[in-house]
Amino acid sequence: MTDAPKEEVIAMIDIKEVVHTKVTRDKREGMGVCVEFTNDLFDEKGNKIGTSVGTGVLSTNGEGDEHRFQLFSATDHLEDGTILWTGACPHDPSQITKEHSVQAVGTSGRYLGKTGTRHFQFYDRPDGETTILKSSFFLRG
């Protein structure tokens, strides 16, 4: 019997994520509108630990606001590497009242080749272009 290398698990919890969005296609609402975002990531002590940069596209799977969602793709840039995450979530961040998760994969540094999930939940929306989320991620590999 051989000793298999221990799988490393990386978890970051209690991240305060300040989301700054910018509509890039035009200023109207509607399907296909693309937003760019740059999120500032802070640890539980308030220290900035990185940024998340990505895009989201508004889509729908039916009629009415309850069926609107955004498809996201973004990269977290942390001091010790990068994590790509992608998935869908409700269009209106305030609808993320429970923790929501999307797929994540490490793309450089300490996180390279590790896979897992990135989680976020609505916390506050101080204005129309800024949203505050409570976030975390879990990777293994």
Side-chain angles (χ1 to χ4, degrees), residues 37-94:
F37 56 88
T38 301
N39 305 351
D40 295 318
L41 306 174
F42 299 90
D43 66 14
E44 65 277 356
K45 295 178 183 174
N47 301 310
K48 186 171 178 180
I49 58 171
T51 58
S52 185
V53 178
T55 58
V57 178
L58 182 61
S59 191
T60 186
N61 60 2
E63 293 184 27
D65 286 345
E66 68 276 6
H67 296 282
R68 294 170 71 173
F69 64 94
Q70 289 191 45
L71 297 170
F72 287 104
S73 182
T75 301
D76 292 339
H77 298 268
L78 304 163
E79 188 175 293
D80 52 357
T82 56
I83 301 167
L84 172 69
W85 54 275
T86 187
C89 77
H91 165 62
D92 183 350
S94 66

Side-chain angles (χ1 to χ4, degrees), residues 18-30:
V18 181
V19 180
H20 307 284
T21 58
K22 175 184 165 190
V23 176
T24 58
R25 188 172 128 191
D26 56 36
K27 291 292 182 185
R28 68 176 177 82
E29 285 289 320

Side-chain angles (χ1 to χ4, degrees), residues 72-126:
F72 287 104
S73 182
T75 301
D76 292 339
H77 298 268
L78 304 163
E79 188 175 293
D80 52 357
T82 56
I83 301 167
L84 172 69
W85 54 275
T86 187
C89 77
H91 165 62
D92 183 350
S94 66
Q95 293 175 340
I96 309 171
T97 56
K98 296 181 180 176
E99 187 175 81
H100 187 78
S101 66
V102 295
Q103 297 297 307
V105 62
T107 52
S108 75
R110 174 181 180 205
Y111 313 106
L112 183 62
K114 293 177 177 31
T115 60
T117 52
R118 190 176 192 290
H119 306 263
F120 47 93
Q121 183 175 1
F122 177 79
Y123 182 77
D124 191 17
R125 187 164 185 134

